[in-house]
Amino acid sequence: IIKDKRDFDKKHKPYWLKRTPYTNTLYLDSDIWAERPVYNLFELLEEFDIGVAKDPAEPHIFYTDDSLNDVPESFPELNTGVIIFQKNSRTKHLFERWISNFTPSETRDQRPFRSAMYESEAQMTVLPSRYNCMYRELNSVNGPVKLFHGQLVDRGMNKINIRRAVNRINSTTQR
């Protein structure tokens, strides 16, 4: 699904995901760098409805009032930059709940997604960090990174050389 970004807001993501024309969909944020093939993600959909990676920093759990529901602190914050999912009634309901969880002042999508996922009947699996390596956060990766997640230009610093970063990170793996 390609959406013109001129009027795109974080709360529009689940709206468009819910409307996928495909039985199985891999969603990637626009700041994802695909370094290696990820076809094997679709194999997960033989057992699960949806796959997302844990957000390594979990920045929204402690500083926000999660008055939407009683999500326990022990339930992880999930990053929605890479989502693999089946189009079915469980994911449709999940996306509808995600939409309804947005507050008028919400600027990020992880907090409303976390609440929606906790309440969902969709069967979720957590993707390894190599499928959503947020290279600007504290992170650990087991195996070669397949999908890097993050802006290629740091607004406050110099431009990042993605090829150098890929080579550096993937050169220390054993696989």
Side-chain angles (χ1 to χ4, degrees):
I1 300 171
I2 298 174
K3 172 69 179 107
D4 184 340
K5 193 174 178 173
R6 285 178 286 185
D7 66 343
F8 189 78
D9 189 295
K10 297 279 186 186
K11 65 184 84 175
H12 294 133
K13 185 188 296 186
Y15 173 86
W16 289 105
L17 292 177
K18 188 173 77 164
R19 285 158 180 75
T20 182
Y22 306 106
T23 303
N24 297 321
T25 298
L26 173 61
Y27 167 82
L28 303 174
D29 269 356
S30 62
D31 61 346
I32 299 290
W33 174 274
E35 177 60 21
R36 296 182 180 210
V38 293
Y39 304 112
N40 57 350
L41 284 175
F42 289 94
E43 294 171 7
L44 294 171
L45 299 180
E46 295 172 15
E47 299 293 327
F48 300 97
D49 297 312
I50 187 168
V52 291
K54 181 184 166 296
D55 192 311
E58 296 186 312
H60 308 101
I61 290 178
F62 296 107
Y63 75 79
T64 60
D65 171 22
D66 202 355
S67 57
L68 293 170
N69 59 36
D70 296 322
V71 178
E73 179 184 313
S74 57
F75 189 76
E77 180 171 330
L78 303 161
N79 183 277
T80 60
V82 177
I83 304 173
I84 184 86
F85 68 96
Q86 289 184 44
K87 184 177 184 176
N88 61 34
S89 61
R90 291 177 299 277
T91 57
K92 180 182 177 192
H93 184 262
L94 167 64
F95 296 146
E96 288 169 352
R97 183 68 179 173
W98 186 7
I99 292 165
S100 71
N101 283 351
F102 274 93
T103 62
S105 62
E106 197 74 57
T107 59
R108 307 287 298 240
D109 56 356
Q110 280 87 354
R111 189 183 72 83
F113 179 77
R114 179 175 178 258
S115 299
M117 191 69 248
Y118 181 74
E119 297 171 344
S120 177
E121 292 182 12
Q123 295 295 307
M124 177 191 70
T125 187
V126 176
L127 303 177
S129 59
R130 67 183 164 273
Y131 289 93
N132 189 353
C133 179
M134 301 180 72
Y135 56 89
R136 295 196 181 192
E137 302 289 340
L138 296 175
N139 208 339
S140 62
V141 180
N142 183 6
V145 175
K146 296 178 183 255
L147 298 173
F148 286 87
H149 186 176
Q151 296 177 359
L152 297 179
V153 177
D154 187 327
R155 293 181 183 118
M157 300 174 71
N158 294 328
K159 183 177 180 182
I160 291 174
N161 181 331
I162 191 67
R163 182 54 45 211
R164 192 166 121 210
V166 167
N167 290 339
R168 184 174 177 193
I169 291 171
N170 281 343
S171 69
T172 60
T173 64
Q174 299 299 314
R175 292 185 202 174

